């Protein structure tokens, strides 16, 4: 109970926004909008959190940090589904999971009704995103700054669509780093495998152990 279903959500800065409404891919979204969701203050996940916007104008933006809440019993997951774009950071040190890691990060789940657009990383400092388990980006990924994605317990980091931007990409995990799979987006939101030439960035660095697929 207690889910939020409104036209849009905007929070200010400074301060914090705490998500204590459980959500997930098979459950009711924590927050549902038809328009934008803009979180200008630090976001803290008290429970697994599922944010969705149903339109091509419904950008979901995190302009500050995103962390598991210090009071949470364990690490929390974040799922973001929108027909528009998802933004992490507005150019500052707006890291995800740096103070306390997230459990996982998922954008545009294949079964989601609302999907499309891209996920843009625009924060300074490394790592950009820290999770304990997987990170799956089913929409196109855009690098607006050098980006480092880390899974501390060897979760797979999967890019199911294109990766572009004139910046450097680093992936640190003992699991698999996957570029493209059968759940990736093609033009128009149609699912298709990623083909050659769809990763176009300044450089790519992966660590060891683990695999690149």
């Amino acid at each position: 109970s207690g889910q939020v279903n409104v036209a849009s959500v905007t929070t200010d800065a400074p301060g914090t926004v705490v998500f204590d409404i459980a959500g997930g891919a098979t459950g009711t979204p924590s927050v549902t909008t038809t328009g934008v969701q803009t979180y200008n203050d630090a976001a803290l996940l008290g429970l697994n959190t599922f944010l969705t916007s149903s339109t091509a104008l419904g950008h979901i933006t995190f302009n500050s940090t995103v962390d598991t809440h210090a009071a949470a019993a364990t690490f929390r997951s974040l799922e973001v589904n929108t027909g528009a774009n998802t933004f992490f950071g507005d150019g500052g040190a707006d890291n995800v999971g740096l103070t306390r890691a997230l459990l996982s990060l998922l954008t545009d789940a294949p079964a989601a009704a609302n999907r499309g657009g891209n996920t843009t990383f625009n924060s300074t400092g490394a790592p950009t995103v820290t999770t304990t388990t997987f990170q799956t980006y089913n929409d196109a990924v855009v690098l607006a700054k050098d980006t480092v994605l880390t899974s501390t317990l060897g979760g797979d980091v999967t890019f199911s669509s294109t990766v572009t931007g004139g910046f450097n990409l680093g992936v640190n995990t003992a699991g698999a780093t996957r570029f493209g799979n059968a759940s990736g987006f093609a033009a128009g939101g149609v699912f298709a495998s990623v083909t050659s030439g769809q990763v176009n960035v300044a450089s790519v660095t992966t660590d060891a152990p683990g695999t690149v697929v």
Side-chain angles (χ1 to χ4, degrees), residues 96-152:
V96 176
L98 185 62
T99 300
R100 192 180 184 196
L102 305 192
L103 175 66
S104 61
L105 178 57
L106 170 64
T107 67
D108 286 358
N114 309 314
R115 55 182 185 260
N118 63 59
T119 293
T120 296
F121 293 108
N122 187 25
S123 63
T124 58
T128 309
V129 177
T130 303
T131 58
T132 57
T133 66
F134 70 87
Q135 298 176 38
T136 301
Y137 305 100
N138 285 311
D139 48 0
V141 169
V142 177
L143 310 185
K145 290 279 193 300
D146 291 344
T147 298
V148 177
L149 308 176
T150 297
S151 174
T152 59

Side-chain angles (χ1 to χ4, degrees), residues 2-10 29-37 39 52-55 58:
Q3 284 81 13
V4 176
N5 192 334
V6 294
S8 67
V9 174
T10 303
S30 310
V31 178
T32 300
T33 58
T34 53
V36 300
Q37 297 178 38
Y39 303 103
T52 185
S53 180
S54 60
T55 72

Side-chain angles (χ1 to χ4, degrees), residues 57-200:
L57 299 176
H59 303 305
I60 298 179
T61 303
F62 300 91
N63 283 329
S64 187
T65 55
V66 184
D67 290 286
T68 294
H69 198 295
T74 188
F75 303 107
R76 301 305 189 190
S77 63
L78 176 62
E79 178 180 343
V80 182
N81 295 333
T82 178
N85 299 327
T86 302
F87 298 95
F88 290 101
D90 61 356
D94 306 318
N95 307 80
V96 176
L98 185 62
T99 300
R100 192 180 184 196
L102 305 192
L103 175 66
S104 61
L105 178 57
L106 170 64
T107 67
D108 286 358
N114 309 314
R115 55 182 185 260
N118 63 59
T119 293
T120 296
F121 293 108
N122 187 25
S123 63
T124 58
T128 309
V129 177
T130 303
T131 58
T132 57
T133 66
F134 70 87
Q135 298 176 38
T136 301
Y137 305 100
N138 285 311
D139 48 0
V141 169
V142 177
L143 310 185
K145 290 279 193 300
D146 291 344
T147 298
V148 177
L149 308 176
T150 297
S151 174
T152 59
L153 296 180
D156 291 353
V157 178
T158 301
F159 304 91
S160 295
S161 186
T162 57
V163 184
T164 60
F167 294 90
N168 304 304
L169 174 65
V171 182
N172 298 326
T173 182
T177 300
R178 300 180 182 275
F179 292 100
N181 65 27
S183 296
F185 282 119
V190 178
F191 286 103
S193 296
V194 172
T195 58
S196 61
Q198 290 187 305
V199 177
N200 190 341

